[in-house]
PDB file of all heavy atoms in Angstrom:
ATOM      1  N   ALA M   1      -4.143  10.400  -0.469  1.00 97.00           N
ATOM      2  CA  ALA M   1      -2.952  10.552   0.366  1.00 97.00           C
ATOM      3  C   ALA M   1      -1.782   9.771  -0.231  1.00 97.00           C
ATOM      4  O   ALA M   1      -0.648  10.261  -0.273  1.00 97.00           O
ATOM      5  CB  ALA M   1      -3.250  10.075   1.788  1.00 97.00           C
ATOM      6  N   ASN M   2      -2.072   8.563  -0.689  1.00 96.00           N
ATOM      7  CA  ASN M   2      -1.024   7.731  -1.287  1.00 96.00           C
ATOM      8  C   ASN M   2      -0.483   8.345  -2.571  1.00 96.00           C
ATOM      9  O   ASN M   2       0.718   8.238  -2.866  1.00 96.00           O
ATOM     10  CB  ASN M   2      -1.577   6.329  -1.553  1.00 96.00           C
ATOM     11  CG  ASN M   2      -0.501   5.345  -2.030  1.00 96.00           C
ATOM     12  OD1 ASN M   2      -0.572   4.808  -3.137  1.00 96.00           O
ATOM     13  ND2 ASN M   2       0.487   5.095  -1.209  1.00 96.00           N
ATOM     14  N   LYS M   3      -1.361   9.009  -3.320  1.00 96.00           N
ATOM     15  CA  LYS M   3      -0.935   9.680  -4.551  1.00 96.00           C
ATOM     16  C   LYS M   3       0.138  10.726  -4.258  1.00 96.00           C
ATOM     17  O   LYS M   3       1.120  10.858  -4.990  1.00 96.00           O
ATOM     18  CB  LYS M   3      -2.139  10.320  -5.238  1.00 96.00           C
ATOM     19  CG  LYS M   3      -1.817  10.984  -6.581  1.00 96.00           C
ATOM     20  CD  LYS M   3      -3.075  11.613  -7.194  1.00 96.00           C
ATOM     21  CE  LYS M   3      -2.726  12.343  -8.491  1.00 96.00           C
ATOM     22  NZ  LYS M   3      -3.952  13.029  -9.043  1.00 96.00           N
ATOM     23  N   LYS M   4      -0.031  11.465  -3.157  1.00 96.00           N
ATOM     24  CA  LYS M   4       0.970  12.467  -2.755  1.00 96.00           C
ATOM     25  C   LYS M   4       2.312  11.811  -2.476  1.00 96.00           C
ATOM     26  O   LYS M   4       3.367  12.317  -2.856  1.00 96.00           O
ATOM     27  CB  LYS M   4       0.493  13.218  -1.514  1.00 96.00           C
ATOM     28  CG  LYS M   4      -0.733  14.086  -1.730  1.00 96.00           C
ATOM     29  CD  LYS M   4      -1.150  14.756  -0.425  1.00 96.00           C
ATOM     30  CE  LYS M   4      -2.426  15.576  -0.622  1.00 96.00           C
ATOM     31  NZ  LYS M   4      -2.884  16.166   0.677  1.00 96.00           N
ATOM     32  N   ASP M   5       2.276  10.650  -1.800  1.00 94.00           N
ATOM     33  CA  ASP M   5       3.517   9.938  -1.489  1.00 94.00           C
ATOM     34  C   ASP M   5       4.178   9.400  -2.748  1.00 94.00           C
ATOM     35  O   ASP M   5       5.405   9.455  -2.886  1.00 94.00           O
ATOM     36  CB  ASP M   5       3.230   8.787  -0.511  1.00 94.00           C
ATOM     37  CG  ASP M   5       2.857   9.274   0.881  1.00 94.00           C
ATOM     38  OD1 ASP M   5       3.323  10.352   1.280  1.00 94.00           O
ATOM     39  OD2 ASP M   5       2.081   8.565   1.568  1.00 94.00           O
ATOM     40  N   LEU M   6       3.380   8.870  -3.665  1.00 94.00           N
ATOM     41  CA  LEU M   6       3.922   8.331  -4.909  1.00 94.00           C
ATOM     42  C   LEU M   6       4.559   9.425  -5.755  1.00 94.00           C
ATOM     43  O   LEU M   6       5.627   9.233  -6.343  1.00 94.00           O
ATOM     44  CB  LEU M   6       2.828   7.616  -5.707  1.00 94.00           C
ATOM     45  CG  LEU M   6       2.322   6.279  -5.132  1.00 94.00           C
ATOM     46  CD1 LEU M   6       1.089   5.807  -5.894  1.00 94.00           C
ATOM     47  CD2 LEU M   6       3.417   5.214  -5.189  1.00 94.00           C
ATOM     48  N   GLU M   7       3.894  10.569  -5.806  1.00 95.00           N
ATOM     49  CA  GLU M   7       4.447  11.695  -6.568  1.00 95.00           C
ATOM     50  C   GLU M   7       5.769  12.156  -5.968  1.00 95.00           C
ATOM     51  O   GLU M   7       6.743  12.423  -6.678  1.00 95.00           O
ATOM     52  CB  GLU M   7       3.439  12.843  -6.604  1.00 95.00           C
ATOM     53  CG  GLU M   7       2.238  12.551  -7.494  1.00 95.00           C
ATOM     54  CD  GLU M   7       1.159  13.610  -7.385  1.00 95.00           C
ATOM     55  OE1 GLU M   7       1.260  14.486  -6.466  1.00 95.00           O
ATOM     56  OE2 GLU M   7       0.197  13.584  -8.200  1.00 95.00           O
ATOM     57  N   ALA M   8       5.821  12.253  -4.649  1.00 94.00           N
ATOM     58  CA  ALA M   8       7.056  12.650  -3.979  1.00 94.00           C
ATOM     59  C   ALA M   8       8.148  11.606  -4.187  1.00 94.00           C
ATOM     60  O   ALA M   8       9.314  11.952  -4.417  1.00 94.00           O
ATOM     61  CB  ALA M   8       6.799  12.846  -2.483  1.00 94.00           C
ATOM     62  N   GLY M   9       7.766  10.322  -4.145  1.00 92.00           N
ATOM     63  CA  GLY M   9       8.730   9.248  -4.368  1.00 92.00           C
ATOM     64  C   GLY M   9       9.312   9.274  -5.762  1.00 92.00           C
ATOM     65  O   GLY M   9      10.511   9.056  -5.964  1.00 92.00           O
ATOM     66  N   SER M  10       8.459   9.560  -6.740  1.00 92.00           N
ATOM     67  CA  SER M  10       8.906   9.661  -8.126  1.00 92.00           C
ATOM     68  C   SER M  10       9.884  10.818  -8.299  1.00 92.00           C
ATOM     69  O   SER M  10      10.902  10.688  -8.972  1.00 92.00           O
ATOM     70  CB  SER M  10       7.701   9.831  -9.050  1.00 92.00           C
ATOM     71  OG  SER M  10       8.089   9.923 -10.390  1.00 92.00           O
ATOM     72  N   GLU M  11       9.564  11.950  -7.667  1.00 93.00           N
ATOM     73  CA  GLU M  11      10.450  13.113  -7.732  1.00 93.00           C
ATOM     74  C   GLU M  11      11.803  12.833  -7.086  1.00 93.00           C
ATOM     75  O   GLU M  11      12.834  13.340  -7.527  1.00 93.00           O
ATOM     76  CB  GLU M  11       9.783  14.306  -7.048  1.00 93.00           C
ATOM     77  CG  GLU M  11       8.604  14.873  -7.824  1.00 93.00           C
ATOM     78  CD  GLU M  11       7.856  15.928  -7.034  1.00 93.00           C
ATOM     79  OE1 GLU M  11       8.321  16.281  -5.917  1.00 93.00           O
ATOM     80  OE2 GLU M  11       6.801  16.418  -7.523  1.00 93.00           O
ATOM     81  N   GLN M  12      11.806  12.007  -6.043  1.00 91.00           N
ATOM     82  CA  GLN M  12      13.042  11.673  -5.335  1.00 91.00           C
ATOM     83  C   GLN M  12      13.814  10.542  -6.001  1.00 91.00           C
ATOM     84  O   GLN M  12      14.920  10.220  -5.588  1.00 91.00           O
ATOM     85  CB  GLN M  12      12.727  11.289  -3.891  1.00 91.00           C
ATOM     86  CG  GLN M  12      12.178  12.432  -3.054  1.00 91.00           C
ATOM     87  CD  GLN M  12      11.542  11.948  -1.766  1.00 91.00           C
ATOM     88  OE1 GLN M  12      11.828  10.854  -1.296  1.00 91.00           O
ATOM     89  NE2 GLN M  12      10.686  12.769  -1.179  1.00 91.00           N
ATOM     90  N   GLY M  13      13.221   9.943  -7.047  1.00 91.00           N
ATOM     91  CA  GLY M  13      13.887   8.873  -7.773  1.00 91.00           C
ATOM     92  C   GLY M  13      13.957   7.555  -7.030  1.00 91.00           C
ATOM     93  O   GLY M  13      14.951   6.822  -7.146  1.00 91.00           O
ATOM     94  N   LEU M  14      12.902   7.212  -6.267  1.00 88.00           N
ATOM     95  CA  LEU M  14      12.881   5.937  -5.556  1.00 88.00           C
ATOM     96  C   LEU M  14      12.952   4.779  -6.540  1.00 88.00           C
ATOM     97  O   LEU M  14      12.380   4.829  -7.624  1.00 88.00           O
ATOM     98  CB  LEU M  14      11.609   5.807  -4.709  1.00 88.00           C
ATOM     99  CG  LEU M  14      11.487   6.659  -3.438  1.00 88.00           C
ATOM    100  CD1 LEU M  14      10.198   6.301  -2.702  1.00 88.00           C
ATOM    101  CD2 LEU M  14      12.671   6.466  -2.511  1.00 88.00           C
ATOM    102  N   GLU M  15      13.648   3.708  -6.157  1.00 86.00           N
ATOM    103  CA  GLU M  15      13.751   2.523  -6.996  1.00 86.00           C
ATOM    104  C   GLU M  15      12.379   1.892  -7.204  1.00 86.00           C
ATOM    105  O   GLU M  15      11.474   2.043  -6.379  1.00 86.00           O
ATOM    106  CB  GLU M  15      14.707   1.510  -6.361  1.00 86.00           C
ATOM    107  CG  GLU M  15      16.142   2.005  -6.234  1.00 86.00           C
ATOM    108  CD  GLU M  15      17.028   0.994  -5.524  1.00 86.00           C
ATOM    109  OE1 GLU M  15      16.529  -0.092  -5.188  1.00 86.00           O
ATOM    110  OE2 GLU M  15      18.208   1.301  -5.315  1.00 86.00           O
ATOM    111  N   SER M  16      12.243   1.141  -8.301  1.00 84.00           N
ATOM    112  CA  SER M  16      10.947   0.556  -8.652  1.00 84.00           C
ATOM    113  C   SER M  16      10.425  -0.382  -7.561  1.00 84.00           C
ATOM    114  O   SER M  16       9.226  -0.418  -7.285  1.00 84.00           O
ATOM    115  CB  SER M  16      11.042  -0.189  -9.988  1.00 84.00           C
ATOM    116  OG  SER M  16      12.032  -1.208  -9.934  1.00 84.00           O
ATOM    117  N   ALA M  17      11.327  -1.147  -6.928  1.00 75.00           N
ATOM    118  CA  ALA M  17      10.912  -2.056  -5.865  1.00 75.00           C
ATOM    119  C   ALA M  17      10.326  -1.285  -4.689  1.00 75.00           C
ATOM    120  O   ALA M  17       9.334  -1.705  -4.078  1.00 75.00           O
ATOM    121  CB  ALA M  17      12.089  -2.921  -5.404  1.00 75.00           C
ATOM    122  N   LEU M  18      10.922  -0.138  -4.357  1.00 81.00           N
ATOM    123  CA  LEU M  18      10.420   0.689  -3.263  1.00 81.00           C
ATOM    124  C   LEU M  18       9.105   1.366  -3.636  1.00 81.00           C
ATOM    125  O   LEU M  18       8.209   1.494  -2.802  1.00 81.00           O
ATOM    126  CB  LEU M  18      11.463   1.741  -2.870  1.00 81.00           C
ATOM    127  CG  LEU M  18      12.742   1.212  -2.220  1.00 81.00           C
ATOM    128  CD1 LEU M  18      13.708   2.340  -1.936  1.00 81.00           C
ATOM    129  CD2 LEU M  18      12.420   0.453  -0.941  1.00 81.00           C
ATOM    130  N   MET M  19       8.980   1.783  -4.893  1.00 90.00           N
ATOM    131  CA  MET M  19       7.720   2.373  -5.359  1.00 90.00           C
ATOM    132  C   MET M  19       6.603   1.340  -5.318  1.00 90.00           C
ATOM    133  O   MET M  19       5.460   1.658  -4.982  1.00 90.00           O
ATOM    134  CB  MET M  19       7.902   2.927  -6.772  1.00 90.00           C
ATOM    135  CG  MET M  19       8.776   4.173  -6.849  1.00 90.00           C
ATOM    136  SD  MET M  19       8.016   5.642  -6.099  1.00 90.00           S
ATOM    137  CE  MET M  19       6.751   6.030  -7.338  1.00 90.00           C
ATOM    138  N   ASP M  20       6.941   0.108  -5.661  1.00 87.00           N
ATOM    139  CA  ASP M  20       5.958  -0.976  -5.586  1.00 87.00           C
ATOM    140  C   ASP M  20       5.474  -1.175  -4.152  1.00 87.00           C
ATOM    141  O   ASP M  20       4.281  -1.336  -3.890  1.00 87.00           O
ATOM    142  CB  ASP M  20       6.566  -2.279  -6.120  1.00 87.00           C
ATOM    143  CG  ASP M  20       5.629  -3.479  -5.954  1.00 87.00           C
ATOM    144  OD1 ASP M  20       4.508  -3.426  -6.473  1.00 87.00           O
ATOM    145  OD2 ASP M  20       6.025  -4.448  -5.289  1.00 87.00           O
ATOM    146  N   ARG M  21       6.402  -1.157  -3.196  1.00 83.00           N
ATOM    147  CA  ARG M  21       6.040  -1.304  -1.795  1.00 83.00           C
ATOM    148  C   ARG M  21       5.167  -0.147  -1.314  1.00 83.00           C
ATOM    149  O   ARG M  21       4.296  -0.314  -0.463  1.00 83.00           O
ATOM    150  CB  ARG M  21       7.302  -1.368  -0.934  1.00 83.00           C
ATOM    151  CG  ARG M  21       8.112  -2.635  -1.100  1.00 83.00           C
ATOM    152  CD  ARG M  21       9.294  -2.639  -0.152  1.00 83.00           C
ATOM    153  NE  ARG M  21      10.006  -3.905  -0.190  1.00 83.00           N
ATOM    154  CZ  ARG M  21      10.817  -4.338   0.748  1.00 83.00           C
ATOM    155  NH1 ARG M  21      11.028  -3.609   1.804  1.00 83.00           N
ATOM    156  NH2 ARG M  21      11.425  -5.500   0.648  1.00 83.00           N
ATOM    157  N   LEU M  22       5.410   1.041  -1.862  1.00 91.00           N
ATOM    158  CA  LEU M  22       4.735   2.255  -1.423  1.00 91.00           C
ATOM    159  C   LEU M  22       3.293   2.357  -1.916  1.00 91.00           C
ATOM    160  O   LEU M  22       2.435   2.925  -1.240  1.00 91.00           O
ATOM    161  CB  LEU M  22       5.530   3.474  -1.905  1.00 91.00           C
ATOM    162  CG  LEU M  22       5.041   4.866  -1.542  1.00 91.00           C
ATOM    163  CD1 LEU M  22       4.953   5.022  -0.021  1.00 91.00           C
ATOM    164  CD2 LEU M  22       5.973   5.924  -2.136  1.00 91.00           C
ATOM    165  N   GLU M  23       3.011   1.767  -3.063  1.00 92.00           N
ATOM    166  CA  GLU M  23       1.711   1.967  -3.711  1.00 92.00           C
ATOM    167  C   GLU M  23       0.563   1.307  -2.949  1.00 92.00           C
ATOM    168  O   GLU M  23       0.642   0.160  -2.528  1.00 92.00           O
ATOM    169  CB  GLU M  23       1.749   1.425  -5.134  1.00 92.00           C
ATOM    170  CG  GLU M  23       0.462   1.699  -5.916  1.00 92.00           C
ATOM    171  CD  GLU M  23       0.500   1.179  -7.321  1.00 92.00           C
ATOM    172  OE1 GLU M  23       1.494   0.507  -7.693  1.00 92.00           O
ATOM    173  OE2 GLU M  23      -0.469   1.444  -8.073  1.00 92.00           O
ATOM    174  N   LEU M  24      -0.534   2.053  -2.812  1.00 93.00           N
ATOM    175  CA  LEU M  24      -1.784   1.535  -2.271  1.00 93.00           C
ATOM    176  C   LEU M  24      -2.810   1.455  -3.389  1.00 93.00           C
ATOM    177  O   LEU M  24      -3.377   2.455  -3.799  1.00 93.00           O
ATOM    178  CB  LEU M  24      -2.324   2.452  -1.165  1.00 93.00           C
ATOM    179  CG  LEU M  24      -1.925   2.201   0.275  1.00 93.00           C
ATOM    180  CD1 LEU M  24      -2.672   3.158   1.187  1.00 93.00           C
ATOM    181  CD2 LEU M  24      -2.194   0.770   0.689  1.00 93.00           C
ATOM    182  N   SER M  25      -3.041   0.277  -3.898  1.00 93.00           N
ATOM    183  CA  SER M  25      -4.072   0.075  -4.912  1.00 93.00           C
ATOM    184  C   SER M  25      -5.356  -0.378  -4.229  1.00 93.00           C
ATOM    185  O   SER M  25      -5.381  -0.698  -3.040  1.00 93.00           O
ATOM    186  CB  SER M  25      -3.614  -0.982  -5.911  1.00 93.00           C
ATOM    187  OG  SER M  25      -3.404  -2.222  -5.240  1.00 93.00           O
ATOM    188  N   ASP M  26      -6.451  -0.424  -5.015  1.00 94.00           N
ATOM    189  CA  ASP M  26      -7.709  -0.948  -4.475  1.00 94.00           C
ATOM    190  C   ASP M  26      -7.522  -2.379  -3.972  1.00 94.00           C
ATOM    191  O   ASP M  26      -8.066  -2.763  -2.930  1.00 94.00           O
ATOM    192  CB  ASP M  26      -8.802  -0.917  -5.550  1.00 94.00           C
ATOM    193  CG  ASP M  26      -9.653   0.331  -5.469  1.00 94.00           C
ATOM    194  OD1 ASP M  26      -9.960   0.785  -4.340  1.00 94.00           O
ATOM    195  OD2 ASP M  26     -10.024   0.866  -6.530  1.00 94.00           O
ATOM    196  N   ALA M  27      -6.734  -3.160  -4.713  1.00 94.00           N
ATOM    197  CA  ALA M  27      -6.499  -4.545  -4.325  1.00 94.00           C
ATOM    198  C   ALA M  27      -5.758  -4.625  -2.992  1.00 94.00           C
ATOM    199  O   ALA M  27      -6.073  -5.473  -2.146  1.00 94.00           O
ATOM    200  CB  ALA M  27      -5.708  -5.265  -5.419  1.00 94.00           C
ATOM    201  N   ARG M  28      -4.790  -3.751  -2.786  1.00 94.00           N
ATOM    202  CA  ARG M  28      -4.045  -3.772  -1.527  1.00 94.00           C
ATOM    203  C   ARG M  28      -4.887  -3.261  -0.368  1.00 94.00           C
ATOM    204  O   ARG M  28      -4.723  -3.726   0.757  1.00 94.00           O
ATOM    205  CB  ARG M  28      -2.746  -2.973  -1.669  1.00 94.00           C
ATOM    206  CG  ARG M  28      -1.729  -3.700  -2.552  1.00 94.00           C
ATOM    207  CD  ARG M  28      -0.405  -2.998  -2.645  1.00 94.00           C
ATOM    208  NE  ARG M  28       0.502  -3.744  -3.511  1.00 94.00           N
ATOM    209  CZ  ARG M  28       1.724  -3.338  -3.844  1.00 94.00           C
ATOM    210  NH1 ARG M  28       2.198  -2.188  -3.375  1.00 94.00           N
ATOM    211  NH2 ARG M  28       2.478  -4.084  -4.642  1.00 94.00           N
ATOM    212  N   ILE M  29      -5.779  -2.324  -0.633  1.00 96.00           N
ATOM    213  CA  ILE M  29      -6.715  -1.897   0.407  1.00 96.00           C
ATOM    214  C   ILE M  29      -7.641  -3.058   0.771  1.00 96.00           C
ATOM    215  O   ILE M  29      -7.943  -3.286   1.943  1.00 96.00           O
ATOM    216  CB  ILE M  29      -7.514  -0.658  -0.052  1.00 96.00           C
ATOM    217  CG1 ILE M  29      -6.581   0.560  -0.135  1.00 96.00           C
ATOM    218  CG2 ILE M  29      -8.665  -0.373   0.916  1.00 96.00           C
ATOM    219  CD1 ILE M  29      -7.234   1.800  -0.721  1.00 96.00           C
ATOM    220  N   ASP M  30      -8.073  -3.812  -0.246  1.00 96.00           N
ATOM    221  CA  ASP M  30      -8.886  -5.008   0.002  1.00 96.00           C
ATOM    222  C   ASP M  30      -8.135  -5.997   0.901  1.00 96.00           C
ATOM    223  O   ASP M  30      -8.722  -6.605   1.805  1.00 96.00           O
ATOM    224  CB  ASP M  30      -9.253  -5.707  -1.308  1.00 96.00           C
ATOM    225  CG  ASP M  30     -10.295  -4.951  -2.107  1.00 96.00           C
ATOM    226  OD1 ASP M  30     -11.006  -4.104  -1.521  1.00 96.00           O
ATOM    227  OD2 ASP M  30     -10.397  -5.203  -3.334  1.00 96.00           O
ATOM    228  N   ILE M  31      -6.840  -6.156   0.642  1.00 91.00           N
ATOM    229  CA  ILE M  31      -6.025  -7.078   1.437  1.00 91.00           C
ATOM    230  C   ILE M  31      -5.913  -6.585   2.878  1.00 91.00           C
ATOM    231  O   ILE M  31      -5.974  -7.371   3.825  1.00 91.00           O
ATOM    232  CB  ILE M  31      -4.626  -7.250   0.800  1.00 91.00           C
ATOM    233  CG1 ILE M  31      -4.748  -8.021  -0.524  1.00 91.00           C
ATOM    234  CG2 ILE M  31      -3.685  -7.983   1.751  1.00 91.00           C
ATOM    235  CD1 ILE M  31      -3.461  -8.058  -1.329  1.00 91.00           C
ATOM    236  N   MET M  32      -5.759  -5.277   3.060  1.00 93.00           N
ATOM    237  CA  MET M  32      -5.724  -4.707   4.403  1.00 93.00           C
ATOM    238  C   MET M  32      -7.016  -5.023   5.154  1.00 93.00           C
ATOM    239  O   MET M  32      -6.994  -5.435   6.317  1.00 93.00           O
ATOM    240  CB  MET M  32      -5.512  -3.192   4.326  1.00 93.00           C
ATOM    241  CG  MET M  32      -4.098  -2.776   3.951  1.00 93.00           C
ATOM    242  SD  MET M  32      -4.003  -1.013   3.442  1.00 93.00           S
ATOM    243  CE  MET M  32      -4.676  -0.186   4.862  1.00 93.00           C
ATOM    244  N   ILE M  33      -8.137  -4.822   4.483  1.00 95.00           N
ATOM    245  CA  ILE M  33      -9.444  -5.080   5.100  1.00 95.00           C
ATOM    246  C   ILE M  33      -9.597  -6.569   5.419  1.00 95.00           C
ATOM    247  O   ILE M  33     -10.040  -6.939   6.506  1.00 95.00           O
ATOM    248  CB  ILE M  33     -10.574  -4.588   4.181  1.00 95.00           C
ATOM    249  CG1 ILE M  33     -10.522  -3.058   4.062  1.00 95.00           C
ATOM    250  CG2 ILE M  33     -11.939  -5.052   4.688  1.00 95.00           C
ATOM    251  CD1 ILE M  33     -11.419  -2.490   2.973  1.00 95.00           C
ATOM    252  N   GLU M  34      -9.210  -7.409   4.469  1.00 92.00           N
ATOM    253  CA  GLU M  34      -9.287  -8.850   4.683  1.00 92.00           C
ATOM    254  C   GLU M  34      -8.399  -9.271   5.853  1.00 92.00           C
ATOM    255  O   GLU M  34      -8.771 -10.128   6.657  1.00 92.00           O
ATOM    256  CB  GLU M  34      -8.867  -9.599   3.405  1.00 92.00           C
ATOM    257  CG  GLU M  34      -8.760 -11.118   3.547  1.00 92.00           C
ATOM    258  CD  GLU M  34     -10.073 -11.784   3.924  1.00 92.00           C
ATOM    259  OE1 GLU M  34     -11.147 -11.190   3.701  1.00 92.00           O
ATOM    260  OE2 GLU M  34     -10.027 -12.907   4.466  1.00 92.00           O
ATOM    261  N   GLY M  35      -7.222  -8.644   5.963  1.00 88.00           N
ATOM    262  CA  GLY M  35      -6.317  -8.936   7.066  1.00 88.00           C
ATOM    263  C   GLY M  35      -6.948  -8.628   8.413  1.00 88.00           C
ATOM    264  O   GLY M  35      -6.829  -9.394   9.367  1.00 88.00           O
ATOM    265  N   LEU M  36      -7.639  -7.495   8.502  1.00 94.00           N
ATOM    266  CA  LEU M  36      -8.329  -7.130   9.736  1.00 94.00           C
ATOM    267  C   LEU M  36      -9.404  -8.144  10.090  1.00 94.00           C
ATOM    268  O   LEU M  36      -9.552  -8.538  11.255  1.00 94.00           O
ATOM    269  CB  LEU M  36      -8.928  -5.729   9.602  1.00 94.00           C
ATOM    270  CG  LEU M  36      -7.915  -4.572   9.632  1.00 94.00           C
ATOM    271  CD1 LEU M  36      -8.490  -3.331   8.974  1.00 94.00           C
ATOM    272  CD2 LEU M  36      -7.495  -4.267  11.074  1.00 94.00           C
ATOM    273  N   HIS M  37     -10.165  -8.581   9.092  1.00 94.00           N
ATOM    274  CA  HIS M  37     -11.198  -9.590   9.326  1.00 94.00           C
ATOM    275  C   HIS M  37     -10.570 -10.921   9.746  1.00 94.00           C
ATOM    276  O   HIS M  37     -11.098 -11.614  10.631  1.00 94.00           O
ATOM    277  CB  HIS M  37     -12.051  -9.774   8.075  1.00 94.00           C
ATOM    278  CG  HIS M  37     -13.077  -8.700   7.884  1.00 94.00           C
ATOM    279  ND1 HIS M  37     -14.366  -8.798   8.350  1.00 94.00           N
ATOM    280  CD2 HIS M  37     -13.002  -7.485   7.284  1.00 94.00           C
ATOM    281  CE1 HIS M  37     -15.043  -7.706   8.053  1.00 94.00           C
ATOM    282  NE2 HIS M  37     -14.239  -6.892   7.391  1.00 94.00           N
ATOM    283  N   GLN M  38      -9.458 -11.278   9.131  1.00 89.00           N
ATOM    284  CA  GLN M  38      -8.780 -12.525   9.489  1.00 89.00           C
ATOM    285  C   GLN M  38      -8.271 -12.493  10.921  1.00 89.00           C
ATOM    286  O   GLN M  38      -8.417 -13.462  11.665  1.00 89.00           O
ATOM    287  CB  GLN M  38      -7.625 -12.805   8.531  1.00 89.00           C
ATOM    288  CG  GLN M  38      -8.049 -13.323   7.171  1.00 89.00           C
ATOM    289  CD  GLN M  38      -6.886 -13.935   6.402  1.00 89.00           C
ATOM    290  OE1 GLN M  38      -5.833 -14.223   6.946  1.00 89.00           O
ATOM    291  NE2 GLN M  38      -7.087 -14.171   5.117  1.00 89.00           N
ATOM    292  N   VAL M  39      -7.669 -11.377  11.304  1.00 91.00           N
ATOM    293  CA  VAL M  39      -7.157 -11.267  12.665  1.00 91.00           C
ATOM    294  C   VAL M  39      -8.304 -11.319  13.671  1.00 91.00           C
ATOM    295  O   VAL M  39      -8.204 -11.938  14.728  1.00 91.00           O
ATOM    296  CB  VAL M  39      -6.317  -9.980  12.844  1.00 91.00           C
ATOM    297  CG1 VAL M  39      -5.932  -9.775  14.310  1.00 91.00           C
ATOM    298  CG2 VAL M  39      -5.055 -10.051  11.990  1.00 91.00           C
ATOM    299  N   ALA M  40      -9.422 -10.675  13.346  1.00 95.00           N
ATOM    300  CA  ALA M  40     -10.593 -10.725  14.218  1.00 95.00           C
ATOM    301  C   ALA M  40     -11.102 -12.153  14.394  1.00 95.00           C
ATOM    302  O   ALA M  40     -11.610 -12.525  15.461  1.00 95.00           O
ATOM    303  CB  ALA M  40     -11.703  -9.826  13.665  1.00 95.00           C
ATOM    304  N   ALA M  41     -10.949 -12.974  13.359  1.00 93.00           N
ATOM    305  CA  ALA M  41     -11.436 -14.356  13.400  1.00 93.00           C
ATOM    306  C   ALA M  41     -10.480 -15.309  14.121  1.00 93.00           C
ATOM    307  O   ALA M  41     -10.862 -16.427  14.486  1.00 93.00           O
ATOM    308  CB  ALA M  41     -11.676 -14.864  11.979  1.00 93.00           C
ATOM    309  N   LEU M  42      -9.250 -14.878  14.340  1.00 91.00           N
ATOM    310  CA  LEU M  42      -8.266 -15.732  14.995  1.00 91.00           C
ATOM    311  C   LEU M  42      -8.557 -15.867  16.485  1.00 91.00           C
ATOM    312  O   LEU M  42      -9.141 -14.975  17.113  1.00 91.00           O
ATOM    313  CB  LEU M  42      -6.856 -15.167  14.805  1.00 91.00           C
ATOM    314  CG  LEU M  42      -6.287 -15.186  13.385  1.00 91.00           C
ATOM    315  CD1 LEU M  42      -4.987 -14.403  13.334  1.00 91.00           C
ATOM    316  CD2 LEU M  42      -6.064 -16.613  12.910  1.00 91.00           C
ATOM    317  N   ASP M  43      -8.135 -16.982  17.055  1.00 92.00           N
ATOM    318  CA  ASP M  43      -8.250 -17.170  18.494  1.00 92.00           C
ATOM    319  C   ASP M  43      -7.411 -16.128  19.229  1.00 92.00           C
ATOM    320  O   ASP M  43      -6.304 -15.796  18.809  1.00 92.00           O
ATOM    321  CB  ASP M  43      -7.775 -18.570  18.894  1.00 92.00           C
ATOM    322  CG  ASP M  43      -8.707 -19.668  18.399  1.00 92.00           C
ATOM    323  OD1 ASP M  43      -9.891 -19.369  18.154  1.00 92.00           O
ATOM    324  OD2 ASP M  43      -8.241 -20.821  18.257  1.00 92.00           O
TER     325      ASP M  43
END
């Protein structure tokens, strides 16, 4: 799904900073998962 967004963003000429924000890498998915676990652990 993210690949579709990145391709569309590239076609639209999005700035590099915005493309960076848009990208979902394995590492960022890991961070999302870790964030959920962290929030679950919070009071």
